[in-house]
Each structure stands twice: as structure tokens, then as C-alpha cells.
Amino acid sequence: MRIAIATLGCKLNFAESSSIAQQFVRNGFTEVSPYSKGVDVCVVNTCTVTEHSDKKCRNIIRRIHKLNPGALIAVTGCYATLKKAEIEALDGVSLVLEQDKKGSIYPLCMEMLEGSPCSDAIAEHIFPACSYGERTRSFLKVQDGCNYFCTYCAIPYARGRSRSVPVETLVSQAQEIAGKGVKEIVLTGVNIGDYDGGLLKVLKALDGVSGIERYRISSIEPNLLTEEMIDWIASGTKFQPHFHIPLQSGCDKTLERMHRRYDTDLFASRIDYIRSRMGDVFFGIDVIAGFPGETDSEFSSTLSFIRKISPAFLHIFPYSRRKGTLADKMEGQVPESVKTQRVKALEQLSDELHQQYCSRYVGSVQKVLFEGRVKGSLMGGYTGNYIRVERPYDASSIGKIVEVVI
Ligand code: SF4
């Protein structure tokens, strides 16, 4: 039988989808594209980060049903958790499973296909997951859920409270990943820094797994990125000089309305401390444009603050209203046209900062992990500090860390 998985949203969803696919494949299924014909089961792992994500999920489900009217379509993920009835109303959907039942998709689908109850169709408290999709880089889920309840975010309602995958499970998953020849692991989660008992113990345990040459942390809240953790990472570990940190706004008043747990002083001090210990690190920074009440002057403060801390890249999100969140009920909703202008200004700034960062490395020798073929005759990969490098394709370099002159 054929299984297809369609995934939207974050790296955590991709890691979980990969583990769901493996459960089916281990039991004799062949994995195919969700947009091919002849699919028997299709799992759609949804996202609800913006209204656009919800719409995209509905369109994908319709497209899959049209191509494969007889397929069992099981829908899970954040959108499925928050708007179950909306998805159940779509033609062709056989099963809608909330986030906490993701780990039970395989037995529940088999139960429906075979028409007999399956004893282990029980929701798991936390569903360990890792992706094997790429030969060179794997995403390993270390944590799920969030206790922070930022005023714009629906994720704590969809994924529940913070839970952690035990360290021993993570080490054995990392060993399994290394056994497949993968060289780099990206740690994912909803709020990784909130790992039960401290993330540092996970980093230390994973650093000892042989075969894995590089680690990255996908995203970490600035208040949870401790000096102890930074010092340890800087002491010559496999963790790369690359941090993804959500800023969201460079204006303290906006940060307060967002219920973020830091101010710009704390954020800047973390960046300074990391640079003092690790040099010219690649910082990818999340920013929200047009949060309710964000005035022109507050947005200007954000632009100035970003220039001051000078990250290498911005991940930009126009604010999207999410039902049930505090920000959805706030006064001063920013018109879409203003959000669009602010997104453009941030995009320009990001291009400029990225160019500045990368140009500092022109002529230097860097180690690149080449991941695969791109654009026909080229191959692509990343340096330790996350600069994208492309050069003529050479099959013997794929999956290896190679020194190149930038
Ligand atoms: S930290 Fe805030 S933005 Fe991130 S998942 Fe938790 S509530 Fe959402």
C-alpha cells in the first residue's frame, strides 16, 4: 500500500511527519508524493501559524482528495487541533487527530483500513520524532508544547504544555541517525530552552554521539539562552556558531504587549555575550511586523534596534490574528497595507544585513557540508556559520564536510 505525507509549517512538524512515515514504511507501505495517484493513506500534518497557513492546509486536503478520492485522509497538527470541526467538514477527510494523538496515527489508520480495533491506538504523552528525509541533515525533536502564552500565539493551545523527550531517547535517536550516515542534527521543539531540567544536559549528552559532526539549535528564546550554555557551546563543542533567536520586536512597549519575557536590553546583552565568546556568529532573528498597536515610531525603534544588533538574517512574519489569543482582541489592529510596507522594509534590511555578513567571508577558507544537487549542475550546502555555498556538482563531496574558498 502507498502512504503519502503532506507537511506544512515548522521543522518540528517535518520531524514528526518523517517519524509518522517511518511507522508506515516499517510496516510495508511505500512512501509516495501526496500529489501522485494511487495513494492509499495520506496524512496531512497541518500548521495554524497564520490565516494563510489554514487556507493552504484546506487547499492541500482538497487537492489530495480530488487526485485520490478513495484514499484515507488523516489530518493532524496545530490547525487540526484548534479547528477540528472545520477540517471534519471537508470532503474526503476520514480522521482528524489532535496534536497529542499524533503518535497514534499509524495504529488508528490501520484500524480504519482493517476495520478492527487496534490495542495500541493510544495517544502518547510525547511523541519522539526525527527526520531522515535528507542524507546529510536530520531534525530531532527534543521538546513539544509551550507554557509561555505570548499574546499573539495559538501554539500553546494547539500543542499543549511543555513536555520533554527523555535524554536517553534523544541519544539513541541521534545514534540511529548517525548510523544512517547523517552528519548534522538540528534540534527542534516549540520552546526548546524550556527543556525539563535544562537544555544544557541534552547538548552535553548529544555532543558525545560519534558520527554526528555538527549540531544546531533551531530556535531558542533569548531569556533561556544562559551564559553557562553559551560558555559550554563556545568551549569547542560540535554546536555551530549559528543561533536562531526570536526577537519579534525591537520596541520594549510592543514586547510588553506581546507578553514576551525579555526586553531589548536583555536581548542585546545576549547577542553581545555570544559574540564575546564565539566571534562572528550567524544570528537569524524572528520579527513580527504590524503587531496590534505598533505605531510608526515603534516600528522605527525595531528597525534601529535590528541595525544596532546587526544579525545576519531576519525571519519576517506579518502579524496574523489568531482566534482565542489576547492579541486578537486588542485595539489598534494594524491595516494590512501598513503590514505589507513594514514587511518590505524588513526584507530590505534583511537583504542588506545578509549581504554584509556573507561578504565578510569572501576569500576565506570554510568547511561546508554539501547536501545535494541544486539547479542541475551545482551542489549546495552550508558552512558551520550557516552561509549557503554552491559550487559545481561533485558526487564524491555530497554528505561530506569539505574545505572551500568562499
Ligand atoms: S514562546 Fe511564545 S511564541 Fe513561542 S511557542 Fe511559546 S507562546 Fe508561542
Side-chain angles (χ1 to χ4, degrees):
M1 295 188 92
R2 296 196 184 111
I3 171 74
I5 315 265
T7 309
L8 294 106
C10 60
K11 295 287 185 279
L12 187 51
N13 260 9
F14 280 87
E16 289 169 344
S17 286
S18 184
S19 289
I20 292 167
Q22 286 157 43
Q23 280 182 310
F24 281 89
V25 169
R26 272 199 300 271
N27 287 286
F29 278 73
T30 303
E31 191 177 355
V32 296
S33 156
Y35 309 117
S36 58
K37 291 213 170 198
V39 171
D40 296 293
V41 179
C42 185
V43 176
V44 185
N45 196 358
T46 63
C47 168
T48 188
V49 74
T50 61
E51 255 178 58
H52 177 69
S53 325
D54 293 357
K55 192 173 166 199
K56 208 166 155 191
C57 294
R58 291 193 299 271
N59 288 342
I60 286 176
I61 292 166
R62 286 190 193 105
R63 188 173 161 201
I64 293 167
H65 178 55
K66 200 170 168 195
L67 276 167
N68 291 286
L72 188 163
I73 299 179
V75 187
T76 186
C78 292
Y79 179 35
T81 305
L82 293 185
K83 310 253 179 76
K84 194 172 181 182
E86 211 168 288
I87 295 176
E88 278 172 341
L90 295 175
D91 279 349
V93 172
S94 316
L95 190 62
V96 182
L97 284 173
E98 292 90 344
Q99 189 59 39
D100 62 346
K101 300 195 181 72
K102 229 176 215 180
S104 305
I105 283 191
Y106 172 72
L108 288 171
C109 285
M110 291 313 292
E111 182 181 312
M112 291 190 82
L113 287 173
E114 290 167 357
S116 61
C118 182
S119 58
D120 57 350
I122 309 154
E124 288 168 358
H125 180 55
I126 181 157
F127 164 45
C130 56
S131 69
Y132 293 109
E134 294 172 76
R135 281 161 54 201
T136 52
R137 193 150 44 135
S138 183
F139 293 90
L140 177 63
K141 168 178 166 181
V142 302
Q143 178 275 347
D144 201 347
C146 184
N147 303 338
Y148 272 28
F149 292 90
C150 300
T151 56
Y152 54 83
C153 183
I155 290 183
Y157 305 100
R159 282 190 174 261
R161 293 297 175 129
S162 181
R163 291 99 65 209
S164 307
V165 180
V167 177
E168 314 79 65
T169 308
L170 294 171
V171 169
S172 76
Q173 283 180 300
Q175 286 165 340
E176 204 178 311
I177 292 167
K180 293 185 188 292
V182 174
K183 296 279 186 297
E184 181 174 310
I185 289 182
V186 183
L187 308 187
T188 67
V190 172
N191 188 348
I192 286 189
D194 202 23
Y195 189 90
D196 192 17
L199 184 64
L200 187 52
K201 69 179 177 190
V202 174
L203 308 191
K204 286 182 175 171
L206 291 176
D207 205 54
V209 174
S210 62
I212 301 299
E213 296 182 33
R214 288 175 166 188
Y215 287 98
R216 299 181 196 274
I217 301 171
S218 70
S219 173
I220 183 161
E221 291 291 304
N223 51 309
L224 297 172
L225 191 47
T226 61
E227 290 192 358
E228 193 191 4
M229 201 186 295
I230 297 162
D231 288 343
W232 180 80
I233 291 174
S235 70
T237 65
K238 295 175 186 170
F239 284 81
Q240 300 300 299
H242 167 206
F243 289 92
H244 179 171
I245 314 177
L247 168 67
Q248 312 306 20
S249 170
C251 160
D252 286 335
K253 278 192 193 158
T254 313
L255 287 175
E256 268 179 37
R257 291 199 302 281
M258 290 176 165
H259 288 183
R260 299 291 287 163
R261 301 197 182 191
Y262 53 86
D263 58 14
T264 49
D265 281 350
L266 183 139
F267 197 97
S269 73
R270 285 290 185 272
I271 300 279
D272 289 347
Y273 191 74
I274 293 171
R275 285 194 172 123
S276 74
R277 302 288 288 115
M278 298 178 70
D280 195 19
V281 165
F282 185 108
F283 288 108
I285 301 287
D286 293 342
V287 195
I288 295 174
F291 184 76
E294 186 186 63
T295 61
D296 285 344
S297 126
E298 288 185 354
F299 180 65
S300 294
S301 304
T302 292
L303 291 178
S304 315
F305 181 74
I306 292 170
R307 278 197 184 280
K308 189 177 116 191
I309 58 168
S310 191
F313 188 75
L314 303 177
H315 303 269
I316 304 154
F317 305 90
Y319 168 71
S320 178
R321 296 178 81 157
R322 303 281 74 201
K323 280 216 164 54
T325 61
L326 287 175
D328 182 44
K329 298 181 195 86
M330 284 180 185
E331 287 179 4
Q333 297 290 330
V334 174
E336 290 304 317
S337 58
V338 176
K339 283 186 209 166
T340 306
Q341 283 165 15
R342 291 181 184 169
V343 165
K344 272 196 190 135
L346 287 164
E347 281 171 350
Q348 267 177 12
L349 179 55
S350 179
D351 287 349
E352 193 187 309
L353 292 167
H354 192 234
Q355 181 67 28
Q356 277 171 17
Y357 184 81
C358 295
S359 62
R360 293 206 281 277
Y361 290 85
V362 173
S364 71
V365 176
Q366 299 293 326
K367 290 181 175 167
V368 177
L369 174 56
F370 284 104
E371 297 184 345
R373 193 188 282 274
V374 284
K375 298 177 202 151
S377 60
L378 295 175
M379 61 182 179
Y382 289 90
T383 63
N385 61 342
Y386 211 58
I387 294 177
R388 172 87 184 160
V389 174
E390 290 179 3
R391 71 182 317 194
Y393 183 76
D394 163 22
S396 66
S397 296
I398 302 297
K400 298 210 177 82
I401 295 179
V402 180
E403 282 198 343
V404 301
V405 180
I406 303 286

